[in-house]
Amino acid sequence: MAEAVLIDFFGLKFNSQKNSHQALLKTLNAVRYHHAAKAKFLCIMCCNNISCERNGAHNNCELEASNGLSTLLREFETVSNPSMAASLYTIKQKIDEKNLSSIKVIVPMHRKTLLKAFIDQLFTSVYSFEFEDLQVTLRGVPLKQSTEIDMITAQEVEAIQNEIQTYLRSLPALKGELTIITSPLISDIFLHGFTTRTGGISYIPTLSSFNLFSSSKRRDPKVVVQENLRRLGNAAGFNVEKFYRIKTDHASDVWIMERKEPESYDGITTNQRGVTIAALAADCIPIVFADPVRKACGVAHSGWRGTLLGIAMATVNAMITEYGCSLEDIIVVLGPSVGPCCFTLPRESAKGFHNLDPECVRLFDSPNPCVDIRKATRILLERGGILPQNIQDLNQDLNLCTSCHPDKFFSHVRDGLNFGTQIGFISIRE
């Protein structure tokens, strides 16, 4: 049974005549009868002006209530907007506020394909949709509708994408201004930074607001993440069309961009100008590498497994092998991550850190010792030959444990499975 029911009145013609109101009343009563007992959200979607066009057709969709219709409408939420993108995004917000995921859409058959195209852009696989043809009768005769459109053209798909992008660009930033943390150790020949959770448009509490990753398990669609990324590109000065994220596997594989891309990797290196590379993180460490002499850079995603597997030095070694970098020239900046104050592992998993250096583990004899993945990373980098003065630990310098600062950062440890993602990024200026 659907948790939410959406009725699409964009494509139907109603006016203020009594018999038209009776038709609408009958339709809404039928929906209420079949769904009100189970559904937690009943919603009507229509446009707020008289004329809505598609393929040259004008559709009157004003809802002027009277008599019993006015009373019945109070049981439905009405979302009224001339933009389909704005209407559906508003409805999505209301559905997300109630934490619903099973949705029935009652829609005129000629609009079903169009509506599905919008839904595919604005919703993720977290949601399940069921579609039902909207039947409206007037004096016992079904209200005439256009025939079903089985497919939409490439031009219409592009128009849908443009409408959604235009709407998302109009939304204000949430939770404050976009903030980029930078390191004084990295030369100005590079663009670089670490993002926080402020300044984006993601509205779900654990993803709000500058979430930079979308997946089938999260409620943030790709179009929202892409808008957040567009705003980051504008603020930092990089081209989002040349932006590459790590494909995390919590291991130690590195993609050297001049070679074939692996299926998954936790490090990237490049010496191409104008290409921005990024490491995703929520509690794991986003690490940025820069060599101003050889003009090469890299990023790495270092979780506890990747730390023990040596992803940081694997990225350094890729820069040395591929670009002729020297250990003494490479700068390494450890971005915001969880600290030992908030991160624990089962004792068996913590043994690897204790064996590396006992100072990486607190309360080792407990069932779940506290582990310092940042200290372990620094130790491995220094043992690998990176100069201590060329390593900056932003957590240590700025007290930036991701779990301790819900106002600044996303955190898997703190927020659970539906966590948001920040990044560390770098590129060589063109």
Side-chain angles (χ1 to χ4, degrees), residues 18-167:
K18 181 179 179 181
N19 52 19
S20 186
H21 275 195
Q22 289 175 342
L24 183 56
L25 184 64
K26 186 174 181 179
T27 301
L28 294 180
N29 264 322
V31 172
R32 182 183 63 170
Y33 175 79
H34 288 100
H35 300 287
K38 297 288 186 179
K40 299 175 183 178
F41 179 62
L42 299 175
C43 182
I44 295 168
M45 180 174 68
C46 61
C47 46
N48 65 0
N49 59 357
I50 292 177
S51 177
C52 296
E53 295 186 22
R54 181 172 186 251
N55 295 335
H58 292 261
N59 300 312
N60 293 337
C61 47
E62 279 193 339
L63 294 181
E64 296 180 6
S66 63
N67 302 326
L69 181 57
S70 179
T71 302
L72 182 57
L73 282 173
R74 284 198 288 269
E75 299 187 30
F76 293 78
E77 282 207 42
T78 300
V79 174
S80 185
N81 200 296
S83 160
M84 274 284 288
S87 292
L88 278 174
Y89 195 74
T90 301
I91 290 167
K92 182 180 182 296
Q93 287 178 298
K94 294 177 181 292
I95 288 171
D96 288 335
E97 285 171 6
K98 300 176 185 295
N99 198 32
L100 309 178
S101 57
S102 176
I103 305 158
K104 171 169 276 192
V105 182
I106 303 174
V107 54
M109 61 182 180
H110 71 283
R111 284 177 50 81
K112 190 185 300 183
T113 303
L114 176 72
L115 199 57
K116 282 182 178 179
F118 273 94
I119 287 171
D120 286 346
Q121 293 284 317
L122 290 170
F123 291 81
T124 69
S125 298
V126 168
Y127 309 85
S128 61
F129 286 89
E130 177 187 354
F131 291 86
E132 179 181 308
D133 289 342
L134 176 62
Q135 301 292 337
V136 179
T137 59
L138 184 59
R139 295 174 180 171
V141 179
L143 197 66
K144 187 177 181 181
Q145 301 181 36
S146 304
T147 56
E148 182 172 2
I149 299 171
D150 292 329
M151 61 181 295
I152 56 177
T153 66
Q155 289 83 357
E156 285 179 306
V157 171
E158 185 177 356
I160 289 168
Q161 293 171 341
N162 289 339
E163 181 181 330
I164 292 171
Q165 289 170 5
T166 299
Y167 174 69

Side-chain angles (χ1 to χ4, degrees), residues 12 17 108 160 207 245 251 256 299 344 353 406:
L12 292 184
Q17 295 178 6
I160 289 168
L207 304 179
R245 299 178 181 88
I256 298 169
V299 292
T344 62
F353 291 91

Side-chain angles (χ1 to χ4, degrees), residues 127-407:
Y127 309 85
S128 61
F129 286 89
E130 177 187 354
F131 291 86
E132 179 181 308
D133 289 342
L134 176 62
Q135 301 292 337
V136 179
T137 59
L138 184 59
R139 295 174 180 171
V141 179
L143 197 66
K144 187 177 181 181
Q145 301 181 36
S146 304
T147 56
E148 182 172 2
I149 299 171
D150 292 329
M151 61 181 295
I152 56 177
T153 66
Q155 289 83 357
E156 285 179 306
V157 171
E158 185 177 356
I160 289 168
Q161 293 171 341
N162 289 339
E163 181 181 330
I164 292 171
Q165 289 170 5
T166 299
Y167 174 69
L168 295 180
R169 288 183 183 188
S170 73
L171 296 177
L174 303 175
K175 287 187 176 288
E177 296 181 357
L178 195 162
T179 302
I180 302 171
I181 302 168
T182 59
S183 168
L185 291 186
I186 294 184
S187 165
D188 284 343
I189 69 170
F190 301 97
L191 287 172
H192 82 284
F194 300 90
T195 62
T196 70
R197 69 179 301 167
T198 63
I201 63 170
S202 303
Y203 60 80
I204 292 168
T206 57
L207 304 179
S208 181
S209 67
F210 207 67
N211 174 44
L212 287 168
F213 183 67
S214 175
S215 78
S216 59
K217 298 178 181 178
R218 300 186 190 182
R219 290 177 176 258
D220 239 4
K222 288 182 180 179
V223 287
V224 168
V225 171
Q226 197 63 30
E227 172 57 19
N228 286 340
L229 180 61
R230 185 193 67 83
R231 296 184 185 203
L232 176 61
N234 285 349
F238 65 75
N239 181 359
V240 296
E241 301 299 325
K242 297 180 179 180
F243 178 86
Y244 298 88
R245 299 178 181 88
I246 277 171
K247 295 182 179 178
T248 303
D249 192 36
H250 294 276
S252 60
D253 293 328
V254 178
W255 177 32
I256 298 169
M257 284 198 70
E258 294 69 33
R259 298 185 183 180
K260 183 179 179 181
E261 181 181 4
E263 287 188 9
S264 61
Y265 43 91
D266 285 79
I268 311 177
T269 64
T270 188
N271 64 353
Q272 299 177 38
R273 293 179 180 272
V275 171
T276 302
I277 53 178
L280 309 173
D283 289 312
C284 301
I285 315 170
I287 309 176
V288 165
F289 305 80
D291 180 351
V293 177
R294 284 291 183 176
K295 295 181 175 60
C297 59
V299 292
H301 160 270
S302 187
W304 72 266
R305 291 184 180 87
T307 297
L308 290 178
L309 289 170
I311 181 59
M313 278 308 300
T315 308
V316 167
N317 290 332
M319 293 174 66
I320 292 170
T321 301
E322 191 69 17
Y323 314 120
C325 298
S326 299
L327 282 168
E328 61 268 22
D329 296 325
I330 297 176
I331 306 296
V332 185
V333 181
L334 280 58
S337 75
V338 69
C341 48
C342 300
F343 185 60
T344 62
L345 284 174
R347 190 169 185 272
E348 193 62 33
S349 299
K351 281 183 180 178
F353 291 91
H354 192 267
N355 293 339
L356 175 65
D357 191 311
E359 289 192 5
C360 293
V361 183
R362 301 176 188 174
L363 306 173
F364 180 62
D365 292 331
S366 68
N368 295 286
C370 299
V371 173
D372 192 339
I373 58 174
R374 305 181 70 81
K375 184 182 289 291
T377 299
R378 176 180 274 276
I379 288 169
L380 289 168
L381 286 166
E382 290 184 8
R383 288 181 184 176
I386 298 295
L387 300 178
Q389 63 268 30
N390 285 349
I391 305 171
Q392 183 180 16
D393 183 340
L394 288 179
N395 271 40
Q396 187 177 57
D397 292 353
L398 302 175
N399 187 26
L400 293 179
C401 168
T402 48
S403 183
C404 286
H405 292 84
D407 57 326

